[in-house]
Amino acid sequence: MFLLRSMFVLVTALGSITAPFQCASDPDPNHRLEDTPSEALWHLARRFEADGDENAHRVTLEELVERYPTSREAERARLVLSGREVSDEPEVADGSEVADGSEVSDESVE
């Protein structure tokens, strides 16, 4: 009985020592397995656009802006709804430029 209990304590101790190495504390956002809700709506709107369903495309972008107004995708949705062309993956360095090099003004965001 003593030997069994000692083995259990040893296995538990070894397991707890390796636990911090098994779990990453901050996952890399470039390797996420799931989209955020605003990203999912953005991709859905782009799918509707590709399928030629302009009404569903517009309604989905409007829903995105209404539900997630501060998200990066909402900013892109506002630009698309205003008639501007936006790439699928913009690089926003300081929040004032999108990938196509055009500037985002405060009026176009609101």
Side-chain angles (χ1 to χ4, degrees), residues 45-56:
R46 294 305 249 190
R47 169 83 49 97
F48 285 139
E49 180 185 36
D51 291 345
D53 191 343
E54 287 303 316
N55 185 50

Side-chain angles (χ1 to χ4, degrees), residues 7-79:
M7 290 297 287
F8 176 75
V9 170
L10 179 63
V11 168
T12 304
L14 288 175
S16 65
I17 290 172
T18 61
F21 299 110
Q22 296 173 359
C23 303
S25 57
D26 292 325
D28 184 357
N30 296 322
H31 294 101
R32 291 177 295 152
L33 299 178
E34 299 176 357
D35 289 339
T36 64
S38 61
E39 289 171 332
L41 282 173
W42 172 257
H43 293 301
L44 180 62
R46 294 305 249 190
R47 169 83 49 97
F48 285 139
E49 180 185 36
D51 291 345
D53 191 343
E54 287 303 316
N55 185 50
H57 176 238
R58 182 184 47 77
V59 169
T60 305
L61 290 175
E62 290 170 351
E63 183 72 16
L64 168 61
V65 170
E66 183 179 320
R67 284 184 161 210
Y68 308 101
T70 60
S71 69
R72 180 179 3 180
E73 291 75 25
E75 181 178 332
R76 295 191 298 182
R78 285 186 199 93
L79 292 173

Side-chain angles (χ1 to χ4, degrees), residues 76-109:
R76 295 191 298 182
R78 285 186 199 93
L79 292 173
V80 171
L81 288 168
S82 70
R84 294 180 63 187
E85 214 32 60
V86 177
S87 68
D88 280 335
E89 300 296 329
E91 294 294 326
V92 180
D94 63 357
S96 64
E97 288 189 15
V98 291
D100 62 2
S102 59
E103 293 191 357
V104 178
S105 67
D106 290 336
E107 295 96 36
S108 67
V109 175

